Each structure stands twice: as C-alpha cells, then as structure tokens.
Amino acid sequence: MNESTTASLPMGSIESAGASASLDPVTVSSAPPTTAERTTYGSLWRRVPRELGFLLLTMPIAIIGLSVLASLFWTGIGTVVIYVGFFIVVATFYVARAFGTVELTRLDWAGAAPVPRPVWEPADRPRTFWRAIFGPWANGHYWLYLLHGMIINPIVSVISWSITITWTAGALGGLTGWIWLGFIPTGNRDFFLSRVLADSIFGIHSTFDPVAGDRVLYLIFGVIFAVTLPFVTRGLTLLHHAIAHGLLGAWRSEALEREVADLSAQRGAAVSAEDQSLRRLERDLHDGPQQRLIRLQMDIASAERKLTDDPEAAAALLAEARKQAGDTLEELRALSRGFAPPILQDRGLQAAVDSLAARSTIPTTVESSLQPGERFSPEVERNAYYVLAELSANLAKHSGATAARLVLDRAVDEAGRAWLAVWLTDNGNGGATMVAGHGLSGLAERVHGLGGELVVDSPVGGPSRIGARIPLA
C-alpha cells in the first residue's frame, strides 16, 4: 500500500473534476457569502403554503399524540406496582420523543429556523439494554418531550388551529361571498350585518339594499383577512417554533460541553501534529543534511592531509566538498520550504502554491477561486501550504502520476461559515489510506487542530481526490 496522498484521475477527468470535488461531508460553494433573506411581504406570502400545511395538521397530530401518550403514561403509572408499568412508562418516553421529533421535522419543512437537536446518547458511552431502560428516567429531555406532547402542544395547537381555520375561512369566504351569497334565500330575514354596522356607526336608519351591502362588507372582510393572512400564519408558526426551541431543543449547556470537547480534541490533535512534524524534521535532518555535513567534514580533513603531498587529489576532494556543501544547502532550503517559505509570508498562499507547482517534478497545474492578492491569517496560510506541500511531496514519491492539479477554493457552507478548501488530484496509482503514525494521519491531526477536516477519496486504481477544509475565522 503506497502512502500516496494523491489520486488517480485520467487526465481527461482532471480538467472536469473541479466542479464535483467539493469536500464532503459538508457541502461547500464557491459563491460569496450571502446575507440573510430580507423579510418582505412577498417573502411572507411565499411561506404561506408551507405554514398553512404545518398549522392545519398541528391539532390532529397533537390530539393523536395526547391520546397515545396519556393512555400509555397513566396505564404505566397505574400498573407500576406490578412492575409492568415501569416498562410502559419507558415506552411512553420513547413515544414522546418520536412525537417531538415529528414536530421538529414539521417545523423544518415549514421553513422555520432549525432547532438544535438534543444529544440522546453520549458518544463516549456504549448503548446497552439497561442504559436504554433506565436512561430516559434521568434524562430531562424525555420529560420535556412528554410535557410538550401531553400538555403544552395540545393546548397551543387547539388555539393556533382555530385561529388558522378562522382566518383562512374568513379570507376565502369573504373574497368569494359575492358569488355564493346570491344563492342563499333571505326569506323573512331581517338581520343584515351591513345595515347593523351602518346604523350603529352613522346613527341613522339606512335605506340601502342590505343584500348588496352584505356582499360588499364580506368582500372588505375577505380582503382584510387575506392581506393579514401571511402575518397570522407566520406568527403562529413562530409561536410553535419558540415552544419547540424551549422544550424540544438542545440545552445551551450541552452545546458548551460539545464545544469544550471539540476544543480539547483540536488542541490534542494540534499538539500531536506538531510533535510528529518535529520528529519528522529531526529524522530528515539526521538522514539528509547531517550525513552530508559529516561527509563534508571528512572530505575537508582528507584534503588537508593531502594538501602538501598530493595537491591534485586535495583539489579533487575540495571540489567534492564544495558539491556536498551545495547539495546540503539545497536540501536545507527544501526542508524550510516545507514549513514556511519566504514567498508565503511575502506574497501569500496563491503565489506560494504557484511556486510549489512550478518546482514539482510532475507537471502540475493550479486552479484557484481566490481573489488576486487575497490573504488569510498566517496560521491558515501556513497550514494550508503545509498540507499541499506534503501532498505534492508524496505525489512525486509514491503516486506514479504524469500530471496533477492543485486547487484552492474559498467556500461558504449552508450555515454561512467561510472555509478554505485545498486539494490535489492526479492520474497516478491511487490507493492512499490513513494509517496511524503515517503521513496522512499526521495531516488529518494538523487540520483537525484548526477545526477542519481532511478528506481522502482514493480507491485503488483511482480516480481519487485528497484535500483539506480549514475554517476561516
């Protein structure tokens, strides 16, 4: 298995890989960051169909949930003395969790802001039968989901469903009243809403046709209800969203715990990556420049001994020593370029990657979506260059490729976070894998220490891609 960090792509595929080489699992886009959609009356109307679908289904689902949960819960409480009830209540917790998940899914479908989901099972604890049975009793989220499904959601849903039906029926009925009012027989009817309102407002006995007056009045009411319908559906959806966020969403403390755990993992990965880099630098210095300097010292010593007796041999040794000194200098320069070459500090990542591609022994092209002269923080530029330098080094050593491409892409994900994506493709042998303690594993730890990720897609025989995504703070 080679340690190639490159991928085997046919040259015809290399040119077209850019469009499909976004680094999963997070979808990225090279488009500039977009601002939040401005709330306008038209945007409110575009939300109405989905919000109406959410609100009209709210009460039926809530009543079903109330019936199921209340039946299970009180049955379990009533039979807990014979132990069966204990398991029935546990089942109630899981059913409540299912109804709460349905509510969150429906809110997502309605276009509401995503509610962060609770972490039901800690990643560092194995799921066992006894944890599944006793865990819900000690997990406050299960109790909140039960409270939402049995009490809060049924009450709020009845209110929001009634308002939604009233407002929708008022809008449709009022706007179409001029059609169907003529088919309703008036008979001896003496109550007309338009006449009552006109008499109460103007204080006189009106003489206009009350049937026509009701048609006009219903049309006015219909227009008012229709014009305000987007605000009503939006407000009621936000009400359900606020309740779901408070009862069904993850707690702030959980987010802080995950953030602390992630930061600890990133710090550990960064320390490990730096340690591996120092060890590799020590090994490279020992195997390369140090050995050359030892030989240089021996050649100079030999030249000193031969200087008087055999000047020609001494001159040959000195010439060899000069060559050894030049080779050592070049090797030291190559090692320094692998960390932070001067061009990176002076002219930025784009220029440094262009220089890296020009020095490669394998023909390499560069594709970039960066703006001319665009700069990032020194830490981001240094580590992004280090990743590409490592990939390029392994490209020459292991891939067997005849052509390659380096890509730089400033990307924005769906959450609006900016990332720098760097990756390399080639038409070599592929088969690169992450092995603990080896090159790709060290790169992955280095990138993870920055809060990013290394993606390896390198099947044997190719095609494959390897790249890193680094967050831009």
Side-chain angles (χ1 to χ4, degrees):
M1 181 70 65
N2 67 49
E3 185 55 27
S4 168
T5 59
T6 61
S8 47
L9 275 179
M11 283 312 296
S13 301
I14 286 182
E15 296 305 319
S16 60
S20 61
S22 60
L23 299 179
D24 294 331
V26 179
T27 303
V28 297
S29 167
S30 59
T34 56
T35 58
E37 180 184 1
R38 187 175 60 179
T39 301
T40 61
Y41 188 69
S43 67
L44 290 177
W45 262 110
R46 286 192 293 271
R47 297 173 181 262
V48 167
R50 288 190 295 176
E51 291 174 348
L52 273 179
F54 169 80
L55 294 169
L56 292 176
L57 292 175
T58 295
M59 191 180 74
I61 294 176
I63 297 303
I64 294 173
L66 171 63
S67 303
V68 173
L69 293 174
S71 300
L72 287 174
F73 182 76
W74 294 116
T75 300
I77 295 297
T79 57
V80 73
V81 293
I82 59 174
Y83 304 110
V84 176
F86 178 85
F87 297 97
I88 296 178
V89 174
V90 171
T92 307
F93 284 134
Y94 285 104
V95 173
R97 172 179 167 181
F99 275 103
T101 303
V102 169
E103 180 75 3
L104 293 177
T105 303
R106 293 176 60 245
L107 281 169
D108 292 341
W109 180 83
V115 176
R117 269 55 166 179
V119 178
W120 298 102
E121 301 293 338
D124 57 343
R125 299 178 184 177
R127 179 174 177 82
T128 63
F129 172 78
W130 296 112
R131 190 178 299 280
I133 293 298
F134 291 99
W137 294 87
N139 191 331
H141 286 298
Y142 282 99
W143 291 98
L144 288 177
Y145 272 58
L146 185 62
L147 174 65
H148 178 270
M150 283 185 59
I151 299 176
I152 304 297
N153 199 38
I155 295 175
V156 176
S157 296
V158 169
I159 297 173
S160 64
W161 188 85
S162 302
I163 295 176
T164 301
I165 290 295
T166 300
W167 228 266
T168 305
L172 294 176
L175 292 175
T176 60
W178 59 277
I179 298 176
W180 51 266
L181 278 175
F183 297 95
I184 299 178
T186 57
N188 296 323
R189 175 184 172 192
D190 56 359
F191 178 83
F192 296 92
L193 183 59
S194 59
R195 174 168 289 177
V196 171
L197 291 177
D199 292 349
S200 61
I201 293 174
F202 297 105
I204 60 174
H205 181 70
S206 57
T207 58
F208 61 83
D209 183 4
V211 175
D214 276 8
R215 292 185 179 182
V216 174
L217 181 63
Y218 291 162
L219 179 60
I220 294 173
F221 282 161
V223 171
I224 294 175
F225 276 95
V227 168
T228 55
L229 180 62
F231 300 101
V232 173
T233 58
R234 184 62 179 157
L236 295 177
T237 303
L238 290 178
L239 173 63
H240 282 275
H241 179 269
I243 294 173
H245 194 281
L247 295 178
L248 307 180
W251 297 331
R252 177 61 178 167
S253 58
E254 293 176 329
L256 291 176
E257 289 177 2
R258 288 197 297 270
E259 185 175 352
V260 169
D262 289 342
L263 289 175
S264 298
Q266 292 172 12
R267 182 179 62 182
V271 171
S272 176
E274 290 299 328
D275 181 68
Q276 289 188 21
S277 298
L278 290 175
R279 290 179 183 275
R280 197 195 69 170
L281 177 60
E282 180 183 6
R283 183 178 65 251
D284 291 342
L285 289 173
H286 178 272
D287 296 341
Q290 182 175 338
Q291 299 299 321
R292 291 183 183 276
L293 289 173
I294 292 174
R295 181 178 174 182
L296 175 62
Q297 185 181 26
M298 296 174 62
D299 288 345
I300 293 176
S302 298
E304 288 177 344
R305 289 192 297 269
K306 295 178 179 294
L307 191 59
T308 56
D309 300 335
D310 191 353
E312 293 183 0
L317 288 172
L318 290 175
E320 179 66 21
R322 184 175 66 252
K323 182 178 182 302
Q324 289 290 333
D327 293 342
T328 302
L329 181 60
E330 286 300 321
E331 195 162 357
L332 287 173
R333 286 174 176 171
L335 287 174
S336 67
R337 281 196 298 265
F339 289 91
I343 191 174
L344 178 65
Q345 302 175 10
D346 296 339
R347 298 173 56 190
L349 182 61
Q350 176 71 65
V353 172
D354 289 338
S355 175
L356 181 67
R359 295 194 311 270
S360 176
T361 57
I362 295 175
T364 303
T365 60
V366 178
E367 179 179 319
S368 174
S369 66
L370 305 184
Q371 298 297 323
E374 185 173 5
R375 300 298 301 266
F376 306 102
S377 67
E379 134 180 279
V380 169
E381 290 188 342
R382 183 173 63 253
N383 283 279
Y385 179 84
Y386 181 86
V387 169
L388 291 180
E390 283 293 293
L391 297 180
S392 297
N394 285 341
L395 170 72
K397 292 178 182 178
H398 308 295
S399 69
T402 59
R405 182 175 62 170
L406 296 172
V407 177
L408 301 174
D409 182 26
R410 187 185 189 281
V412 179
D413 63 15
E414 295 178 351
R417 296 171 297 186
W419 298 79
L420 176 64
V422 296
W423 49 275
L424 182 146
T425 66
D426 73 79
N427 61 349
N429 302 323
T433 57
M434 285 195 190
V435 179
H438 290 75
L440 285 181
S441 177
L443 285 180
E445 289 185 341
R446 175 179 289 270
V447 174
H448 183 62
L450 297 172
E453 61 181 343
L454 185 76
V455 178
V456 178
D457 179 16
S458 180
V460 176
S464 60
R465 301 185 301 271
I466 298 179
R469 299 173 63 252
I470 302 175
L472 298 174

